[in-house]
Amino acid sequence: MTHPQIVTEQSPAEKSRLWLRYLQQQGYRITGSRRAVVDALAQAERSLTAADLYEIGRAKHKGLGLVSVYRTLEKLEELGLVQRVHGPGGCHAYISAQDGHNHMLVCENCGRVEMFEGDDLKDFTRNLEKQSGFRIHEHWLQFFGVCTECQA
Ligand SMILES: [Zn+2]
Ligand SMILES: [Zn+2]
C-alpha cells in the first residue's frame, strides 16, 4: 500500500526558467506576454483563472492581452505543464503541474493547492472496470477542504 506524500516543488524562478526553455524547445517564441503568464503561474500557490492571470500578468507586462493569456494557457496545458483545477463554475482555473502522477488538495477558502503522490485505487479501479466494462487508463483526483492556515 502506498501512503500519500506531499510533493515539494522547485523554486518559482527555477520553474519559470524550465518552462520557458521547454516552450522554446517546442518552437514557441518567448514574448513578454508569455513570460508574464509563465511567471505568474510558476509563482502561484493557488489556482488561477485566465482573468486572474491577466490581472497579475499586466502588472509586469502592460501589453498583455487576454487572448495571449488563453493561448499561453493552451500551450502550457498541451505540454502538460499546467493542470486544470475544478471549481464551482467548471474547470477554468489552472495550477502548475508536477512531474509524475499526482493528486490535488484544494482549499475552498483561500484557493491554495497542494499536490500529493500515492493512492490506493488499484482494487477500486479493477472493480469499477469489472462493473462498467470500461478499460480505465487514467484517473484524476482532487480533494476539497480547508487548509491548515485557514483553520487557524
Ligand atoms: Zn486556505
Ligand atoms: Zn492516482
Side-chain angles (χ1 to χ4, degrees), residues 54-113:
Y54 176 64
E55 213 168 288
I56 298 167
R58 265 172 68 104
K60 270 201 177 164
H61 182 76
K62 274 217 189 85
L64 180 65
L66 202 48
V67 175
S68 300
V69 174
Y70 280 115
R71 287 216 182 112
T72 306
L73 277 171
E74 219 170 85
K75 298 275 175 289
L76 292 172
E77 197 183 12
E78 259 172 44
L79 298 174
L81 297 173
V82 296
Q83 230 177 314
R84 283 172 191 253
V85 180
H86 184 70
C91 294
H92 301 309
Y94 296 82
I95 187 93
S96 59
Q98 307 294 320
D99 285 339
H101 179 76
N102 293 295
H103 305 303
M104 270 184 222
L105 289 161
V106 183
C107 178
E108 288 168 329
N109 191 49
C110 69
R112 176 190 191 81
V113 177

Side-chain angles (χ1 to χ4, degrees), residues 5-24:
Q5 249 180 354
I6 297 295
V7 178
T8 39
E9 303 178 38
Q10 310 137 316
S11 79
E14 209 179 330
K15 202 189 287 179
S16 302
R17 244 195 333 268
L18 285 170
W19 285 17
L20 289 169
R21 199 165 56 204
Y22 192 44
L23 280 168
Q24 221 161 11

Side-chain angles (χ1 to χ4, degrees), residues 107-112 145-151:
C107 178
E108 288 168 329
N109 191 49
C110 69
R112 176 190 191 81
V146 183
C147 77
T148 45
E149 266 165 58
C150 290
Q151 286 171 42

Side-chain angles (χ1 to χ4, degrees), residues 53 59 118:
L53 284 165

